[in-house]
Amino acid sequence: MNLIELERSLRQLRLGGMATVLQARLHQAQSEAMPPIDLIASLVADELTRRSDRLLERRRKQAAFRDPQKSLDNFDFTFNPKMNRSLVFDLATSTFIGKREDALFLGPGGTGKSHLAQAIGLAAIQQGYRVIYRETHVLLDDLAEAVAEGTRKEFMESLTAVPLLIIDDFGMRKLPLTAAEDLLEIIMRRYERASTLLTSNRPVEDWGKLLGDVAAVTALLDRILHHGHVLKCGPRSWRTKTAISAGATE
């Protein structure tokens, strides 16, 4: 079997990571007098690395982050220095996901809630967890579409099963009349089974009026906060700062 045939066989065995680097590794083995077991170990490591990278990329796409480049590395904690950064980094360890706990990020628009939520979601993916990210209105639209298509049960089961569900920007847009009962059902299904991270620019005191169902909101908050971590973001807004800075330079 020659090199081309060996590469083809490796790809047929779904060992594309090995096939891609085979020629380079063979040259390395010859130049360094590499023992056969070290050559095999290197090829296996290459394959595992490739599979790990592909899994991470697949899970990033499945999460469907609005801003996939958001991470803790590019978040400026000095802008709102009173923010509990210790809590942020604790959440980024994903320990709360292992404990099936929840998180609630509150604060005015532009204070970093969505950035931090997506950064924590990315950190969870890197630690082996599956994540789904949806803005609140998009999540409810997806649910309405599933109802219309007759796949509501399957949709709810998929939401229940994912280890971390991020529901972003609650309170940013007008929601459908069924929002209160739909959100409550999602939270109840996931309660003590999986972790939910919810962000809102509205104080919890306004949620009853926003959803038009005080009883449902009370039940929802009771579950979110029972094993929940609350992060208060703000008060300074990045978007306001950017707009003011842009105006000052004109």
Side-chain angles (χ1 to χ4, degrees):
M1 180 179 290
N2 58 35
L3 181 61
I4 295 176
E5 292 172 336
L6 180 55
E7 288 179 351
R8 185 183 300 119
S9 296
L10 288 172
R11 295 188 188 281
Q12 288 176 344
L13 291 169
R14 298 185 179 180
L15 297 172
M18 287 187 181
T20 300
V21 300
L22 178 61
Q23 190 168 357
R25 288 299 189 190
L26 289 174
H27 286 317
Q28 179 186 7
Q30 291 172 353
S31 64
E32 298 178 6
M34 183 183 291
I37 192 170
D38 290 346
L39 171 60
I40 294 172
S42 297
L43 288 168
V44 170
D46 292 330
E47 179 65 33
L48 291 174
T49 298
R50 183 174 185 265
R51 291 190 180 194
S52 177
D53 290 344
R54 291 181 68 182
L55 176 61
L56 288 175
E57 182 59 27
R58 185 163 63 249
R59 286 186 172 173
R60 288 191 193 100
K61 289 181 179 179
Q62 290 171 345
F65 295 119
R66 182 180 63 198
D67 305 299
Q69 77 283 2
K70 300 296 186 184
S71 69
L72 293 183
D73 291 336
N74 54 34
F75 186 82
D76 183 4
F77 286 95
T78 64
F79 187 66
N80 281 305
K82 292 185 179 181
M83 182 183 294
N84 186 350
R85 67 174 67 189
S86 177
L87 174 58
V88 173
F89 285 107
D90 282 346
L91 293 173
T93 67
S94 298
T95 301
F96 82 109
I97 301 176
K99 294 180 179 179
R100 299 181 178 88
E101 297 172 345
D102 302 312
L104 175 61
F105 291 3
L106 298 170
T111 53
K113 302 181 301 298
S114 294
H115 185 143
L116 290 173
Q118 292 175 92
I120 288 168
L122 177 60
I125 288 173
Q126 292 169 340
Q127 293 167 68
Y129 291 102
R130 291 185 298 111
V131 176
I132 290 178
Y133 167 91
R134 293 292 187 274
E135 293 171 279
T136 306
H137 70 282
V138 173
L139 177 66
L140 295 174
D141 285 347
D142 288 346
L143 176 56
E145 184 176 332
V147 171
E149 294 176 351
T151 59
R152 186 182 193 278
K153 179 180 178 181
E154 293 80 1
F155 180 80
M156 294 299 287
E157 287 176 350
S158 69
L159 288 183
T160 303
V162 69
L164 176 61
L165 172 65
I166 300 173
I167 307 176
D168 198 11
D169 286 341
F170 174 73
M172 286 289 288
R173 300 195 186 190
K174 185 176 181 180
L175 300 176
L177 296 176
T178 59
E181 59 187 71
D182 289 338
L183 288 172
L184 177 58
E185 181 180 355
I186 291 169
I187 297 301
M188 288 182 65
R189 281 173 173 264
R190 296 179 55 77
Y191 176 61
E192 295 187 332
R193 296 183 180 89
S195 295
T196 304
L197 194 165
L198 178 66
T199 81
S200 177
N201 70 329
R202 302 284 288 271
V204 294
E205 294 82 6
D206 293 351
W207 288 15
K209 183 178 180 181
L210 180 67
L211 291 176
D213 191 332
V214 175
V217 166
T218 299
L220 185 154
L221 283 170
D222 179 64
R223 285 160 178 79
I224 283 285
L225 298 177
H226 183 204
H227 305 296
H229 305 272
V230 178
L231 179 71
K232 295 183 178 179
C233 302
R236 301 176 68 198
S237 167
W238 274 104
R239 285 192 284 271
T240 301
K241 177 194 174 187
T242 302
I244 292 173
S245 299
T249 58
E250 290 178 356

